[in-house]
Each structure stands twice: as structure tokens, then as C-alpha cells.
Amino acid sequence: MAEMIKLTTPLTDEDVMKLKAGDVVSISGVIYTGRDAAHKRLVECLERNEPMPIDVKGQIMYYVGPSPAKPGQPIGSCGPTTSYRMDPYTPTMLEQGMKGMLGKGPRSKEVVEAMQKHKGVYLAAIGGAAAVIAKAVKTCEVITYEDLGAEAIHKLEVEDLVCFVAIDAQGGNLYETGRLPYAKD
């Protein structure tokens, strides 16, 4: 197994540029949740020349709508959602300084190009491992867009949230190269 790379948020360009598709990473620090409705609102703020309600510089956005917490727990199950729904908003978020995205599934060509231009990384969490991922969450707080319920933007403090680099800032893409050994000629 590959050596695990430990990352602490906020991420820097240097943090992102050392990552390669296939690397296993452990994230600690603050990350934010957000799905398509929240991303749409963030981009609309920028279109109106208003500040976004969160500063995304150096941050990771986790594409998740967590379930309610059980008593004594900071969060319920929190598995990744399919990331392509955020693709229309991702280039703008990367322009604003966002450094990482955490979700599942492939991304569009435009997102991969924006990641290369703005030094971003796409991390993938394992679908179906929502309860395990929740164990890495130490605190959870709704920050904005409370009316969106589970899809509101939450601030999570995580410790050793394990995932892997699906697409790196150089364009290395596991969704393309990972299937090559199994392809039929």
C-alpha cells in the first residue's frame, strides 16, 4: 500500500502540487460541506458582486448532505455525493481560491482544466463508507444557508479523514488511467 500523505487545511499550492492521482491522503483541520444548491448560491453572490458567506481560499469543499447526528455524536452518516452536479460552479470556486473538492465520480473536462489552471485537487471518498467517514468528524456546525437543511454549508473539523487523490493538479486522472489495466484490446 502507498504511503499515506497527511494534509492539514487550509491547503497551499505546494500541498496540492505534490499530490498525484492515486495517492492516499489523510485530512485534518476544517473542511466545508456544500452541494449544488449551496454552490449555486455562492456563485450568485459573486455575480451580484457580493462577498460569499464563507472564505474558500485554501479550503476543501466536501460534497455531502450529512444525516442528523445521533445523541452525543457531532454528525450522522456523511458519505460523498456524486460530484458532477457541482461541475457548473467548480471553475468559479477554484478561481476564488478553493484548493480541494471531496466527492465521488468523474468530473468534466472544464473542471479538470480549471484544476490545472488554479492548482486544485479532486479527492474521492469511498461511497458506502458514510458511517466510517463520520468517525473522522470531530465537530459540525451549520455556517450558512440553513434553509437548505442537510444541504446547508457546514463547517466540519476533521481528524484523519482518509480518501484518495482521484484527479491531481497536473491532470492525472484515476477515472481514466485506473481502468486501463482492465481494458480489452
Side-chain angles (χ1 to χ4, degrees):
M1 182 166 163
E3 180 180 334
M4 187 169 315
I5 298 169
K6 293 197 171 274
L7 296 173
T8 302
T9 61
L11 302 181
T12 64
D13 286 351
E14 294 74 27
D15 292 329
V16 170
M17 295 307 290
K18 72 181 178 187
L19 300 173
K20 302 290 179 232
D23 286 346
V24 178
V25 298
S26 168
I27 303 167
S28 294
V30 169
I31 65 174
Y32 292 94
T33 70
R35 290 176 49 169
D36 44 333
H39 277 76
K40 182 177 189 281
R41 288 185 185 181
L42 291 172
V43 170
E44 287 171 345
C45 284
L46 297 171
E47 290 169 350
R48 293 188 304 265
N49 291 317
E50 297 172 359
M52 292 189 299
I54 62 167
D55 183 1
V56 298
K57 286 187 181 78
Q59 298 302 329
I60 295 172
M61 290 293 289
Y62 183 20
Y63 303 148
V64 62
S67 65
K70 293 180 181 173
Q73 300 297 314
I75 198 167
S77 293
C78 58
T81 195
T82 305
S83 300
Y84 74 83
R85 293 194 324 262
M86 276 53 75
D87 284 3
Y89 314 108
T90 299
T92 300
M93 299 297 288
L94 288 163
E95 287 173 16
Q96 298 303 307
M98 180 179 72
K99 288 293 164 196
M101 300 145 288
L102 177 59
K104 69 178 181 182
R107 306 305 298 270
S108 70
K109 178 182 176 221
E110 293 78 17
V111 168
V112 175
E113 289 171 354
M115 288 170 50
Q116 291 173 289
K117 180 178 180 181
H118 300 289
K119 297 184 174 107
V121 64
Y122 175 49
L123 306 163
I126 306 300
V132 174
I133 294 169
K135 291 180 181 182
V137 177
K138 303 307 173 194
T139 65
C140 174
E141 171 188 4
V142 174
I143 297 298
T144 191
Y145 306 144
E146 296 88 352
D147 62 303
L148 294 177
E151 294 190 38
I153 294 179
H154 296 76
K155 177 181 175 182
L156 306 181
E157 185 178 337
V158 299
E159 185 178 322
D160 294 323
L161 191 159
V162 177
C163 53
F164 62 93
V165 177
I167 305 173
D168 63 39
Q170 293 80 30
N173 187 336
L174 278 184
Y175 291 103
E176 294 173 359
T177 60
R179 69 177 107 177
L180 293 178
Y182 309 100
K184 302 261 187 206
D185 290 331

